Amino acid sequence: MISKIAIIKNYLLILLYTLSSTIVKSQEYITPAGMKYYVYRGNGTKQVMLGNIMKVDYTYKVKDSIYFTTTGRPLMYVTALESTHQYNTSETKYDMSAVWTKLKVGDSVVAIQLADSFFKVNNPRFLDPQLKPGVKIITYAKIHDVFTSDSMAK
């Protein structure tokens, strides 16, 4: 169970991400498949490369509901891989795999995916049935560290 303090902290984090476009300089990007994302550059110089393991603070939100968050929990370890979706090619990545290698330690990213575009590119049998066309899927992630192997991440 997530404590009330953790929930408040998460909402403040989301509010900070939302308001930061006027406070912190961000850059807007669009993947070849049309996924919009914003990068908030940190001070790190260590680039994420394919196969690296990233230590990530992660929140996944649909509409006003948080589907997953690391707030109040240990950070996630995520491997920067090519997309694993059956229908994704390098030209049609419509998930976070299109973004990871564009980031460095300390960077934050906000990715906005439209559910109907997500349906077209990704295999629908893996999607939450509550996702309807037109719904925005918003992913917030901050890269805390990058490792070249899983033994280094431990």
Side-chain angles (χ1 to χ4, degrees):
M1 189 67 151
I2 299 175
S3 71
K4 288 183 181 181
I5 292 174
I7 292 171
I8 291 170
K9 179 182 171 188
N10 190 52
Y11 281 113
L12 288 174
L13 176 67
I14 292 170
L15 179 63
L16 177 65
Y17 277 126
T18 305
L19 295 176
S20 64
S21 61
T22 59
I23 299 168
V24 178
K25 189 158 186 134
S26 70
Q27 288 185 283
E28 178 182 291
Y29 299 94
I30 299 176
T31 66
M35 184 179 81
K36 188 183 291 189
Y37 65 99
Y38 299 86
V39 175
Y40 300 85
R41 296 287 176 201
N43 295 328
T45 57
K46 199 172 187 182
Q47 182 75 39
V48 175
M49 307 292 274
L50 279 178
N52 284 165
I53 296 161
M54 304 168 290
K55 188 175 185 179
V56 181
D57 191 2
Y58 197 82
T59 297
Y60 179 77
K61 182 180 169 193
V62 177
K63 293 185 183 180
D64 61 351
S65 298
I66 295 170
Y67 274 40
F68 176 80
T69 186
T70 56
T71 300
R73 301 175 185 169
L75 299 178
M76 259 176 87
Y77 288 88
V78 178
T79 304
L81 297 174
E82 290 287 343
S83 178
T84 57
H85 292 293
Q86 176 181 352
Y87 301 109
N88 266 346
T89 67
S90 58
E91 293 81 36
T92 61
K93 290 180 189 174
Y94 199 78
D95 58 31
M96 291 300 289
S97 68
V99 177
W100 294 131
T101 58
K102 313 248 188 311
L103 303 174
K104 296 178 182 177
V105 171
D107 289 353
S108 296
V109 63
V110 178
I112 301 168
Q113 300 163 292
L114 297 175
D116 37 346
S117 296
F118 196 71
F119 291 146
K120 288 178 190 173
V121 176
N122 299 297
N123 190 341
R125 67 184 176 159
F126 297 114
L127 298 175
D128 186 323
Q130 295 180 27
L131 293 176
K132 305 289 184 215
V135 170
K136 288 183 181 177
I137 304 165
I138 303 174
T139 304
Y140 305 88
K142 179 176 172 91
I143 309 298
H144 286 272
D145 209 345
V146 175
F147 307 96
T148 56
S149 70
D150 59 349
S151 61
M152 292 178 71
K154 292 180 182 178

